[in-house]
Amino acid sequence: MGQKHLLLLACFWVLSCSLLLHASSDGLLRINLNKKKLDKEALTAAKLAKKESRLRRSVGAGQYLGASTDDIVPLDNYLDTQYFGEIGIGTPSQNFTVIFDTGSSNLWVPSSKCYFSIACYLHHRYKSTKSKTYKKNGESCTITYGSGQIAGFFSEDNVLVGNLVVQNQKFIETTRETSPTFIIGKFDGILGLGFPEISVGEAPPIWQSMKEQKLVAKDVFSFWLNRDPDASAGGELVFGGVDPKHYKGSHTYVPVTRKGYWQFDMGDLLIGGHSTGYCAGGCAAIVDSGTSLLAGPTTIVAQVNHAIGAEGIISTECKEVVREYGEMILELLIAEHFVNEQTSPQKVCTQIGLCVFDGAHSVSNPIESVVEKQNLGSDLFCTACEMAVVWIQNQLRENKTKELILNYANQLCERLPSPNGESTVDCDQISKMPNLAFTIANKTFTLTPEQYIVKLEQAGQTICISGFMAYDVPPPRGPLWILGDVFMGAYHTVFDFGENRIGFAKSA
């Protein structure tokens, strides 16, 4: 869907789909979701996929065709949360199981002309010669996801979603699929639900075609995810409206601030009612059905992990900065009265000499690191310094002593997420963990420990992991949060492409 880690396979959902043969009485198009627990094999494949690529990008027929890549936040999509639904392509219909992904915009399925990828032979393949409504396009394309790459060419045909026939939909026939994820995945392809701005080949997303062909009553689709691990129903995806049985109260809507992904502005993250500081002045956020967990700035994730007792690796760079520069940062903040202001951590670290600030964003100091014996890149010290400034500012606002402040910063260094994203917690301590809350449209959206801790089954044992993963995007596009299934499970989510807005309400 930056540096997002592949343990985002935390809650491995499978949407096997029972598509309706007839429209429901309320005029909504419903797709039922079913759940499948994560197993060890899927987790191993996900770790392998992580090594293949870090950023989503498009080449060949795409580079977003006309859209500046500077305006698009590069999201990793590990295809970890697999929302499966069955669609049909062609006349007569050829059935395919696809992932409904709000973090991409193209529809693709394997082609019968895919000869050299194992993944194609393990899944259904589209045969254009069998369809009466097929139209040749032939434009080649390549898309790279965080979990692998697909290549192929465009075609046009009718697409059946439930009982709706979307005519002449432009889609990709893949002739090459790399990644263990594509091989072991239960899905044949992907149905993107993002905006046209990130669609390769200027292919309209399926919802845009539905709108243009007047196939839905309202220009919205909505997700309801059932987080009850013992429930048979995994949730429901609804096109053309919302199901009032899926939520409580009313939705809070926020405008889409940058088309491409479903992006909006959010505020602070609160831990037990206390500010984490970093996003108090605002952060960008993206709602992504293709991401299992919650991915956000390392500065905040480390505070979350500390508060819930998550175990990460000890970051040498971070501890070096706190030891060598902690008192200097503290004294500088006090002397300059930075405590009560939203002071840029980059500027503070520039004054110390660990970062170079060009007025818009920070870059690493080219001068050799002061900790020569570690032979560490200075960019790591710049990042560590910026995090330390935020942590120390927060503690100063709480009127803590110097010793307590520096000890706290040192403890947060120990809670930084590990490179592979593992941040485990004690399952027996869940009831003692604090509530966490996102600030959206000046309202707080609370997540309880039972909602943000994910339980995995492995070798007959239950493992609990933090639902928060580190993902850093520098200014001006960041800081950025990615709200995945942990958040969407707690809050019914409406994607309103008619009004260009996103709505959240408590899930029922």
Side-chain angles (χ1 to χ4, degrees):
M1 254 209 33
Q3 300 180 12
K4 207 170 20 166
H5 308 293
L6 245 175
L7 251 177
L8 290 186
L9 224 154
C11 198
F12 191 5
W13 296 78
V14 172
L15 186 162
S16 58
C17 168
S18 316
L19 287 173
L20 300 178
L21 297 179
H22 304 285
S24 58
S25 59
D26 55 10
L28 302 179
L29 173 61
R30 305 167 187 272
I31 298 177
N32 295 325
L33 310 177
N34 293 323
K35 241 179 333 192
K36 179 182 178 181
K37 292 184 178 180
L38 173 67
D39 55 30
K40 187 175 181 180
E41 288 72 21
L43 182 60
T44 301
K47 289 183 178 180
L48 291 174
K50 172 184 177 293
K51 299 178 182 179
E52 297 178 6
S53 177
R54 291 184 178 179
L55 301 177
R56 168 183 294 171
R57 60 192 181 277
S58 58
V59 296
Q63 266 336 331
Y64 299 142
L65 292 173
S68 169
T69 54
D70 291 337
D71 294 331
I72 302 298
V73 176
L75 294 181
D76 287 352
N77 178 6
Y78 296 110
L79 307 181
D80 48 349
T81 303
Q82 300 186 4
Y83 291 101
F84 293 0
E86 188 175 285
I87 65 171
I89 302 179
T91 309
S93 180
Q94 301 174 40
N95 294 335
F96 298 91
T97 298
V98 296
I99 293 175
F100 295 102
D101 178 24
T102 61
S104 66
S105 298
N106 287 90
L107 167 61
W108 63 261
V109 294
S111 172
S112 60
K113 299 178 178 64
C114 179
Y115 304 116
F116 302 108
S117 291
I118 296 176
C120 291
Y121 288 96
L122 298 178
H123 297 92
H124 298 98
R125 294 188 288 173
Y126 172 74
K127 301 176 179 64
S128 59
T129 57
K130 300 291 185 181
S131 174
K132 299 177 182 178
T133 48
Y134 162 76
K135 293 182 180 180
K136 182 178 180 180
N137 180 295
E139 180 183 10
S140 63
C141 66
T142 301
I143 303 177
T144 300
Y145 296 92
S147 57
Q149 184 183 83
I150 64 102
F153 58 90
F154 284 100
S155 294
E156 295 180 19
D157 210 332
N158 292 352
V159 176
L160 178 67
V161 181
N163 66 314
L164 300 181
V165 177
V166 181
Q167 298 182 351
N168 303 319
Q169 176 67 34
K170 187 176 181 180
F171 68 100
I172 299 171
E173 292 189 51
T174 62
T175 55
R176 187 176 73 250
E177 299 179 14
T178 64
S179 170
T181 302
F182 296 145
I183 294 174
I184 71 166
K186 304 298 182 182
F187 61 94
D188 299 315
I190 295 176
L191 191 152
L193 295 170
F195 282 92
E197 282 77 0
I198 59 170
S199 178
V200 173
E202 297 183 323
I206 198 77
W207 57 257
Q208 181 179 352
S209 298
M210 288 180 177
K211 177 179 180 179
E212 293 173 351
Q213 297 176 28
K214 296 178 170 43
L215 298 178
V216 290
K218 295 182 180 180
D219 297 335
V220 303
F221 60 89
S222 55
F223 275 92
W224 169 67
L225 306 181
N226 190 347
R227 301 297 281 182
D228 182 353
D230 299 322
S232 58
E236 194 169 67
L237 168 62
V238 176
F239 285 97
V242 298
D243 188 334
K245 297 192 301 292
H246 291 163
Y247 62 91
K248 303 174 183 177
S250 58
H251 288 84
T252 297
Y253 285 92
V254 288
V256 173
T257 55
R258 175 174 292 176
K259 289 185 179 179
Y261 307 102
W262 288 87
Q263 181 171 333
F264 64 97
D265 290 335
M266 62 162 274
D268 205 358
L269 175 73
L270 307 178
I271 301 178
H274 297 282
S275 170
T276 52
Y278 197 62
C279 287
C283 281
I286 290 170
V287 189
D288 183 9
S289 64
T291 296
S292 289
L293 308 184
L294 298 158
T298 301
T299 306
I300 301 179
V301 173
Q303 294 181 64
V304 171
N305 284 348
H306 176 267
I308 66 178
E311 297 180 355
I313 64 168
I314 298 177
S315 171
T316 303
E317 305 87 4
C318 184
K319 286 202 163 191
E320 289 285 358
V321 168
V322 172
R323 184 173 67 247
E324 298 291 338
Y325 298 97
E327 291 190 20
M328 188 184 303
I329 293 173
L330 183 61
E331 292 172 0
L332 183 58
L333 289 172
I334 295 174
E336 299 295 335
H337 305 286
F338 285 157
V339 180
N340 296 317
E341 302 176 9
Q342 286 300 321
T343 304
S344 168
Q346 296 94 329
K347 292 183 179 179
V348 176
C349 295
T350 297
Q351 294 185 36
I352 293 175
L354 291 181
C355 298
V356 175
F357 188 69
D358 63 5
H361 60 279
S362 60
V363 294
S364 58
N365 192 330
I367 300 175
E368 185 176 7
S369 170
V370 294
V371 191
E372 297 179 5
K373 63 180 181 180
Q374 295 292 339
N375 193 27
L376 298 169
S378 56
D379 57 333
L380 297 178
F381 284 94
C382 177
T383 300
C385 177
E386 292 171 0
M387 290 190 292
V389 170
V390 174
W391 299 338
I392 291 173
Q393 271 185 313
N394 286 340
Q395 293 299 293
L396 280 171
R397 293 190 184 100
E398 298 288 335
N399 295 318
K400 299 294 180 63
T401 65
K402 180 178 74 171
E403 181 180 1
L404 289 176
I405 290 174
L406 296 181
N407 285 340
Y408 176 76
N410 202 52
Q411 290 172 8
L412 288 185
C413 287
E414 297 180 1
R415 300 301 185 183
L416 290 175
S418 69
N420 291 326
E422 299 91 342
S423 294
T424 61
V425 298
D426 186 344
C427 296
D428 295 331
Q429 298 299 312
I430 292 179
S431 62
K432 301 178 182 179
M433 297 177 187
N435 288 342
L436 306 176
F438 288 88
T439 306
I440 302 174
N442 296 319
K443 296 183 179 180
T444 55
F445 290 77
T446 301
L447 295 177
T448 65
E450 291 76 17
Q451 291 172 323
Y452 65 74
I453 297 299
V454 178
K455 295 182 179 180
L456 306 179
E457 298 296 330
Q458 186 171 341
Q461 295 183 334
T462 299
I463 299 175
C464 295
I465 67 170
S466 167
F468 287 78
M469 312 298 293
Y471 175 56
D472 294 303
V473 176
R477 292 176 293 179
L480 174 74
W481 277 95
I482 302 175
L483 307 185
D485 303 337
V486 167
F487 188 85
M488 291 177 65
Y491 293 95
H492 179 263
T493 308
V494 177
F495 299 84
D496 187 337
F497 50 89
E499 298 292 336
N500 292 323
R501 61 180 185 168
I502 309 165
F504 304 104
K506 283 189 177 181
S507 293

